[in-house]
Amino acid sequence: QQQVKQSPQSLIVQKGGISIINCAYENTAFDYFPWYQQFPGKGPALLIAIRPDVSEKKEGRFTISFNKSAKQFSLHIMDSQPGDSATYFCAASLINTGGFKTIFGAGTRLFVKA
Amino acid sequence: GAGVSQTPSNKVTEKGKYVELRCDPISGHTALYWYRQSLGQGPEFLIYFQGTGAADDSGLPNDRFFAVRPEGSVSTLKIQRTERGDSAVYLCASSFYTGELFFGEGSRLTVL
């Protein structure tokens, strides 16, 4: 079954702290692992993504760590800021002909305290 | 440089009525996706189009749901005989070939 499990459901972090969100997947055919950020009333927007042939990817304060053998990946937000308060979704994609079927986790609501 | 446009932004209907939700993707994007998002949940895949054809409709919950993309651009999600359980935000996204989905702001459907 194509499933992506995400934890925790919610997270409260002090400003300047590290936020860590974890995901696990089942289908080893997935070949693209994005993280999306969603603010209330808006659609999700891509934050950062990784391919399974790479163990880590960093973009600014955001880092994905990927463990292919464990079928797990995580998002680390360094120096968390109040503006990072949002809902974060991990996802996994299967490349089909010309499109990407993307399966999302249930989301993590992050609140960064000032 | 417009993004994905969805109309209406809000739709309130009565149980049993027919509803159409429209999505206008980013120009040039070949793939178009429909997702449904219930409160506190992640987007749930419904269907995606590559050009005019539905490449994968495995997420459509039942035959009350149908989607079209007749000219390979604008798409319409159609829901017949709406039920209260259909209440959700319906998200549309489009993509080119990079894997990144560009989402609209969604159409919030409320079935009374």
Side-chain angles (χ1 to χ4, degrees):
Chain A
Q1 186 178 359
Q2 298 177 357
Q3 230 182 356
V4 178
K5 295 182 179 180
Q6 182 173 347
S7 63
Q9 282 187 307
S10 62
L11 183 60
I12 300 175
V13 174
Q14 292 284 351
K15 179 182 175 182
I18 302 173
S19 304
I20 302 174
I21 305 170
N22 300 298
C23 271
Y25 63 97
E26 298 177 354
N27 189 344
T28 55
F30 286 136
D31 52 11
Y32 178 72
F33 299 88
W35 285 88
Y36 283 80
Q37 179 189 55
Q38 185 177 32
F39 293 102
K42 302 294 184 182
L46 180 69
L47 189 63
I48 186 172
I50 197 168
R51 301 267 183 191
D53 54 348
V54 177
S55 62
E56 185 175 281
K57 183 174 182 180
K58 182 176 181 179
E59 290 184 359
R61 296 184 294 110
F62 303 92
T63 300
I64 301 178
S65 297
F66 187 84
N67 185 332
K68 188 174 181 177
S69 61
K71 294 189 287 186
Q72 295 176 345
F73 58 111
S74 61
L75 175 69
H76 290 62
I77 306 175
M78 311 299 289
D79 187 25
S80 299
Q81 299 297 312
D84 296 332
S85 297
T87 301
Y88 293 80
F89 297 98
C90 63
S93 293
L94 276 166
I95 297 178
N96 280 314
T97 51
F100 295 80
K101 178 178 178 178
T102 302
I103 307 299
F104 286 81
T108 296
R109 296 184 70 174
L110 171 65
F111 180 69
V112 181
K113 296 169 69 173
Chain B
V4 175
S5 176
Q6 291 189 246
T7 55
S9 55
N10 279 285
K11 176 69 176 180
V12 180
T13 191
E14 294 180 343
K15 180 176 179 293
K17 298 292 187 182
Y18 171 80
V19 166
E20 287 191 354
L21 306 175
R22 175 189 166 106
C23 174
D24 199 342
I26 293 172
S27 178
H29 280 191
T30 55
L32 183 146
Y33 308 76
W34 284 100
Y35 283 82
R36 177 169 70 176
Q37 187 173 27
S38 300
L39 191 64
Q41 298 297 313
E44 174 193 5
F45 172 81
L46 297 177
I47 184 172
Y48 93 83
F49 291 87
Q50 179 59 32
T52 59
D56 187 331
D57 64 357
S58 61
L60 294 177
N62 51 60
D63 61 7
R64 296 186 298 106
F65 288 75
F66 190 70
V68 295
R69 194 186 186 199
E71 297 178 355
S73 179
V74 171
S75 176
T76 304
L77 178 66
K78 308 180 180 193
I79 310 173
Q80 297 178 322
R81 304 182 304 279
T82 51
E83 299 178 356
R84 292 193 180 88
D86 299 335
S87 296
V89 174
Y90 289 81
L91 293 166
C92 177
S94 66
S95 73
F96 195 49
Y97 289 106
T98 63
E100 178 177 359
L101 299 180
F102 293 83
F103 282 91
E105 294 195 344
S107 292
R108 180 177 298 279
L109 175 65
T110 303
V111 181
L112 301 177

